[in-house]
Amino acid sequence: MTQRHAQRSLALVLPAILALALALSFVGFKVSEGTSIDHLVERGRQRLDLYETSLEREIDKYAFFPATLGLERDVVDLLVNGGEELTQRINRYLAELNKRAGSLSIYVLDSRGHVIATSNWDQPDSFIGEDLSYRPYFHDAMVKRTGRFFGIGTTRGEPGYYLSSPIFVDDHSVGVAVVKVSLEQLEQSWSTVEAPVLVTDENGVVILASVPSWKFTTLVPLTQERRGELAQSLHYNARPLPPLGLRSQGAVEFDKAEIVQLVRPDIEASQTFPVSGLFLSQSEPLRGTDWRLTVLSPFGDLRTMAWLNAALAAAAGVILCIAVIALYLRRVRLWERLRAREALQRAHDELERKVEERTRTLKEAQDELVHAGKLAVIGQMSAGLAHELNQPLAALHTLSDNTVKFMQRGLLEEAESNLTLISELVTHMGTLTSQLKSFARKSTGAPRPVEVRPSLENALFFLDRRLSQRSIRPEIDIDSGDLAVLADPNRLEQILVNVLANAIDAVDGVEAPRLSLSARRDGDRVRIEVRDNGPGFSESVRTRLFEPFFTTKDSGGGLGLGLAISAGIARDFGGSLSAVNLDHGGALFVLDLPYAAASEIIDA
Ligand code: ADP
């Protein structure tokens, strides 16, 4: 990957990572907020149920009071017949009952709505004689219903909860019994609340609240018209009824709950829960009333947690992206390295193939050269060989002529002796031609164990005529009869013929020519030495002896290839051919070859 390529990829990847981080933070925020709100909704519902139950239990405690009054014979008597003394008795009875129940007041109304007996008969603000027919709880009870009403007393201006029951005579309502319970008594059940809780009446006015200052505020602002009506009925006894300050922030969970913001300038101190800020509002109608119970669960650090989780999700996303990119880059690098290695392997294989091909071509060329060298030797010896064959041929001619004559004369014995000579000559010629054929043959050059002595003898046989012409008797000294080397027999002969032919040439003109041959084993090597007592060679000749086409012989005398080819053959067999001048004159050629046990020799 080039640098420009990498930069371009980075320019594409960075915005993608950024977008992913943003998306993840959004999802993280939503999921975290959703989960927390679900949790809050669940908690709120539990609180709602708990507060509702405890409030209802508290109300129910007083609910039977008015109904039991209707069972009192004296109360019914008073309603039907009246009487001063009875009134006094019932007043005292109601006062005692009110004290014991802990309610605000207990009183009895006649069928016109006038108070005929009351627990506060002896107080300055006694209800006696008061017309309360305008109160809804009176109407409710008169039509044989249980009345429940929240209102503020007109006499003392004390807020309270009114519970009323009809008093029957023969199934006719003759009056109404009323008990007024103070709000504080009802609120007692909320002494341990953990979150703000409030009760609103049918007008949306807060009549009960765990925060005292919230009382007589409204959840929904009242219309001017409604305010007028309420003022007229003295329902809240001229209280100003300001709004509580709840602002909706949206519904959750299919409108069962709502997120609200409560903004109130007068923040109450010493509360165990927050009284302003964000809340989850859940409300429920109160059984048997037109009221609603509302629980406000504080949001607290829910949003902060959601932001934190959003940041965490974004960070996790970015880390994941970076990890994936790093992994990808690593894979690309590995893949590139693999490709480079494959290319290198291919190049290596190709090179090897070429080297093999060249080696083969070279080997073929070398084989051709070796063969050419051999043919050159034969060419050089051709004159001698022709003589070698011509002599017996001439002899054969004479002998056969004589034999014919002997036979014509009947001299059979002489004829027989001639024929024996003829046979010997033919055998000699056959040996010579077969040696020549064997020498001239193209060999493979593959090394194998070869006995030294037969190879030497064959070489000398070739040069036999040249040796005898110069009256040279070679001295042969071989370690043991079956000393063998690792070589190709034909090529070993070729080396020996070359070196011996040079030695014969070197002793040409020497008065007492001498040629000695020796072969010795030295560890896993064999040293074959050829010495002559010729002139040896000058230093300049010695350094160039093994160069191809180097010769000191006249034109036609030599090609200058013999030693170069011989040294090459020796090298091929893991050996060497070297030359030095002898101290007492003459040259020494040393052929060094690997030793081979004669037992390994396989007849070709
Ligand atoms: P060629 O025999 O055709 O000249 P060679 O490679 O066989 O080629 O020999 C190279 C030269 O080495 C010969 O021309 C000769 O000068 C020298 N030489 C080889 N053998 C001997 C030797 N035994 N004594 C002196 N000189 C030698």
Side-chain angles (χ1 to χ4, degrees), residues 38-167:
D38 284 352
H39 186 64
L40 216 58
V41 166
E42 185 56 34
R43 290 275 310 276
R45 182 134 302 283
Q46 285 167 5
R47 282 182 185 143
L48 204 59
D49 290 345
L50 183 74
Y51 302 157
E52 188 184 358
T53 318
S54 57
L55 187 63
E56 276 169 358
R57 205 182 309 123
E58 202 65 28
I59 290 170
D60 286 348
K61 248 168 53 182
Y62 301 98
F64 300 106
F65 272 84
T68 34
L69 276 183
L71 301 175
E72 289 286 337
R73 186 188 295 257
D74 285 352
V75 174
V76 177
D77 254 10
L78 180 68
L79 278 168
V80 176
N81 307 316
E84 193 56 34
E85 196 196 328
L86 191 56
T87 305
Q88 281 309 314
R89 200 164 66 233
I90 290 176
N91 274 343
R92 277 195 294 276
Y93 168 67
L94 292 178
E96 183 61 26
L97 195 63
N98 186 46
K99 210 166 107 195
R100 288 198 185 179
S103 46
L104 284 180
S105 53
I106 303 174
Y107 47 98
V108 179
L109 306 178
D110 64 12
S111 55
R112 291 172 302 136
H114 289 215
V115 179
I116 56 163
T118 171
S119 57
N120 58 1
W121 60 279
D122 53 349
Q123 305 291 315
D125 54 354
S126 164
F127 298 161
I128 288 288
E130 231 177 273
D131 179 4
L132 296 177
S133 57
Y134 63 91
R135 289 293 204 191
Y137 59 79
F138 170 71
H139 291 287
D140 288 346
M142 282 306 283
V143 292
K144 301 178 188 173
R145 278 205 307 249
T146 305
R148 288 183 177 204
F149 171 74
F150 167 78
I152 297 176
T154 44
T155 329
R156 281 203 214 161
E158 197 174 35
Y161 183 45
Y162 298 81
L163 298 150
S164 65
S165 267
I167 299 170

Side-chain angles (χ1 to χ4, degrees), residues 323-385:
V324 167
I325 289 170
L327 208 73
Y328 170 74
L329 288 178
R330 206 178 104 90
R331 290 203 67 158
V332 166
R333 239 189 349 262
L334 279 178
W335 183 69
E336 277 176 356
R337 209 178 295 163
L338 205 73
R339 259 191 1 176
R341 199 180 298 164
E342 275 173 11
L344 206 67
Q345 184 66 43
R346 270 202 303 279
H348 175 263
D349 290 350
E350 177 68 5
L351 204 67
E352 212 145 71
R353 194 188 60 74
K354 276 190 182 154
V355 167
E356 261 172 34
E357 200 179 287
R358 291 284 145 81
T359 310
R360 202 170 50 246
T361 316
L362 213 64
K363 178 86 173 56
E364 279 165 15
Q366 199 186 21
D367 283 352
E368 287 302 321
L369 191 68
V370 169
H371 193 63
K374 200 155 46 180
L375 294 181
V377 170
I378 293 170
Q380 281 168 4
M381 296 192 308
S382 58
L385 286 169

Side-chain angles (χ1 to χ4, degrees), residues 429-492:
M429 284 168 74
T431 312
L432 188 68
T433 50
S434 78
Q435 289 280 352
L436 194 64
K437 214 171 97 190
S438 150
F439 185 69
R441 127 174 96 87
K442 231 179 187 176
S443 62
T444 59
R448 59 187 165 92
V450 183
E451 261 188 78
V452 175
R453 184 179 287 277
S455 293
L456 254 180
E457 282 172 354
N458 280 347
L460 287 172
F461 180 80
F462 260 110
L463 302 162
D464 192 38
R465 178 163 172 77
R466 290 174 71 185
L467 287 167
S468 54
Q469 266 182 348
R470 289 168 178 79
S471 320
I472 303 168
R473 289 183 178 279
E475 297 154 26
I476 301 175
D477 177 13
I478 296 177
D479 240 4
S480 62
D482 56 357
L483 181 68
V485 292
L486 207 59
D488 171 81
N490 188 265
R491 294 202 176 175
L492 176 62

Side-chain angles (χ1 to χ4, degrees), residues 502-503 506 532 536-537 545 550-553 558-563 587 589:
N502 279 341
D532 65 64
F537 16 71
L545 275 181
F550 173 77
T551 180
T552 56
K553 293 170 191 168
L559 288 171
L561 281 173
L563 287 181
F589 278 82

